[in-house]
């Protein structure tokens, strides 16, 4: 049974228990909904500000490791331990297609901007591109430059950004047909574009985040203080690119000033590993996942709940 939750100033806006595991988060484009997935083998669509469960999507055989929403909120995609990439219809809750071809678990999935293609990254060291409109069972393209598992894939209008356990960030420019590669040296857990499209943020298992110039690969900043040595944890930039935000294995979410590189806040979430997070696309609102709990935080709660100790 799902019940609405009340906002309490200085506390999480919403909290909802889930099956323990490594839930993955995806914010819908307008930020009015959030999507979760995890070890209970399902996806769940929520109203995060009310803590209301809107729909559950069942169809995976093992834990679901990542999920994403289309630009028009009509479709979802997901991937997980069953090596399958699944396309869902949001309204009906039904599976539209299942794409099979990866030789290992699927760590990450993303739609292209038109939601006509799903890109999936796997432990099998490949990125595969699946045509949502075709009935063909094979991917329309396979990117196999990675030398170890692909941990993160992000997509812009003409670029694919990928992070791999081989310690490299690869950017595919689809317009120019070019591949750019930057070596970080430690297994990469998450990559993302800055919201202005000029930079890339990379987190790795040496407990360091790096901000790189997207075009030149120049190191613009390093951010440390959190703990990330064992788990695939998320990082992102705040809604106005002012702060770098990262999960941590010590139960906190860390905020750094992007330009100065100084730690601005260590938000205490709980006693476990903060596995996943997502920032609202336009508002100062943060989603976090830890074990069996999901929380939604408003900016005014940060100072009360957090601390730099």
């Amino acid at each position: 049974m799902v019940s609405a939750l009340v906002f309490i100033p200085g506390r999480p806006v919403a909290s909802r228990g889930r099956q323990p595991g490594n839930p993955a988060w995806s914010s819908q484009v307008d930020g009015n909904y959030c999507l979760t997935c995890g070890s209970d083998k399902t996806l769940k669509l929520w109203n995060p500000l009310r803590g209301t469960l809107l729909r559950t999507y069942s169809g995976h055989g093992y834990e679901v490791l990542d999920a994403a929403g289309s630009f028009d909120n009509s479709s979802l995609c997901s991937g997980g331990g069953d090596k399958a990439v699944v396309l869902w219809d949001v309204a009906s809750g039904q599976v539209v297609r299942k794409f099979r071809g990866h030789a290992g678990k699927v760590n990450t999935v993303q739609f292209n901007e038109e939601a006509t293609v799903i890109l999936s990254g796997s432990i099998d060291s490949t990125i595969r591109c699946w045509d949502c409109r075709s009935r063909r069972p094979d991917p329309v393209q396979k990117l196999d430059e990675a030398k170890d598992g692909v941990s993160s894939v992000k997509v812009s209008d003409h670029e694919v950004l990928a992070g791999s356990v081989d310690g490299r960030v690869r950017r595919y420019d689809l317009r120019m047909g070019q591949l750019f590669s930057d070596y970080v040296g430690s297994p990469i857990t998450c990559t993302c574009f800055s919201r202005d499209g000029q930079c890339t943020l990379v987190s790795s298992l040496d407990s360091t985040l790096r901000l790189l110039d997207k075009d030149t690969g120049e190191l613009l900043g390093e951010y440390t203080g959190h703990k990330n040595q064992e788990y695939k944890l998320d990082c992102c930039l705040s809604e106005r690119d002012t702060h770098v935000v990262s999960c941590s294995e010590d139960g906190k979410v860390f905020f750094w000033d992007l330009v100065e590189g100084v730690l601005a806040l260590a938000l205490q979430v709980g006693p476990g590993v903060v596995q996943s997070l997502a920032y609202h696309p336009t508002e100062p609102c943060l989603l976090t996942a830890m074990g069996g709990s999901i929380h939604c935080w408003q900016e005014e709660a940060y100072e009360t709940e957090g601390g730099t100790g």
Side-chain angles (χ1 to χ4, degrees):
M1 181 177 179
V2 178
S3 59
L5 301 172
V6 179
F7 171 71
I8 302 172
R11 299 288 181 182
V13 179
S15 175
R16 173 59 52 195
R18 291 184 60 246
Q19 296 293 322
N22 296 309
W25 280 81
S26 176
S27 290
Q28 299 289 60
V29 174
D30 56 12
N32 292 331
Y33 306 98
C34 72
L35 182 65
T36 69
C37 59
S39 59
D40 61 0
K41 307 176 187 177
T42 70
L43 292 76
K44 289 183 170 64
L45 187 66
W46 304 83
N47 180 320
L49 295 181
R50 295 183 178 180
T52 306
L53 178 66
L54 303 176
R55 186 178 286 275
T56 299
Y57 302 85
S58 301
H60 277 280
Y62 290 84
E63 67 175 334
V64 188
L65 297 173
D66 197 19
S70 64
F71 73 98
D72 60 359
N73 292 346
S74 66
S75 301
L76 305 174
C77 64
S78 59
D82 56 5
K83 309 176 188 177
V85 177
V86 181
L87 174 65
W88 307 83
D89 179 73
V90 169
S92 69
Q94 298 300 305
V95 173
V96 178
R97 293 282 308 281
K98 275 193 178 184
F99 302 99
R100 299 188 183 276
H102 279 295
K105 65 181 182 180
V106 178
N107 287 323
T108 178
V109 292
Q110 286 280 293
F111 282 106
N112 68 339
E113 286 210 332
E114 297 79 23
T116 56
V117 175
I118 299 171
L119 292 90
S120 57
S122 169
I123 197 174
D124 68 7
S125 307
T126 69
I127 299 170
R128 301 185 188 220
C129 306
W130 311 91
D131 189 340
C132 299
R133 300 166 297 181
S134 169
R135 304 305 299 180
R136 61 181 292 174
D138 301 322
V140 294
Q141 189 171 6
K142 183 171 76 170
L143 307 174
D144 57 3
E145 287 78 14
K147 306 305 181 186
D148 207 330
V150 177
S151 56
S152 178
V153 171
K154 295 295 189 296
V155 183
S156 71
D157 59 345
H158 67 284
E159 294 173 310
V160 176
L161 182 68
S164 170
V165 179
D166 66 10
R168 286 193 174 271
V169 185
R170 294 175 174 86
R171 180 171 60 89
Y172 299 84
D173 188 318
L174 304 179
R175 288 178 181 170
M176 302 297 293
Q178 292 180 303
L179 168 62
F180 302 91
S181 178
D182 294 301
Y183 184 60
V184 171
S186 180
I188 292 169
T189 61
C190 185
T191 59
C192 63
F193 291 105
S194 61
R195 298 187 188 270
D196 65 7
Q198 301 301 307
C199 305
T200 59
L201 181 65
V202 182
S203 67
S204 55
L205 288 181
D206 58 358
S207 299
T208 304
L209 285 85
R210 295 170 175 86
L211 187 71
L212 306 178
D213 183 282
K214 188 188 74 173
D215 293 326
T216 67
E218 178 187 356
L219 180 64
L220 302 177
E222 288 190 345
Y223 310 90
T224 59
H226 66 303
K227 182 181 179 182
N228 186 11
Q229 298 173 333
E230 299 182 49
Y231 297 94
K232 179 182 179 297
L233 304 183
D234 284 343
C235 66
C236 68
L237 289 143
S238 61
E239 86 284 4
R240 291 180 294 173
D241 278 346
T242 57
H243 290 83
V244 171
V245 188
S246 176
C247 297
S248 182
E249 294 167 7
D250 60 4
K252 298 176 182 177
V253 172
F254 284 73
F255 295 74
W256 295 267
D257 182 278
L258 180 136
V259 176
E260 300 295 331
V262 297
L263 181 64
L265 177 68
L267 176 67
Q268 186 70 54
V269 177
V273 176
V274 184
Q275 298 135 319
S276 190
L277 58 78
Y279 222 95
H280 190 284
T282 59
E283 302 292 335
C285 183
L286 177 70
L287 299 169
T288 62
M290 172 184 286
S293 297
I294 296 160
H295 298 92
C296 179
W297 306 81
Q298 296 280 47
E299 186 176 50
E300 57 265 26
Y302 296 166
E303 292 298 333
T304 303
E305 286 298 301
T308 56

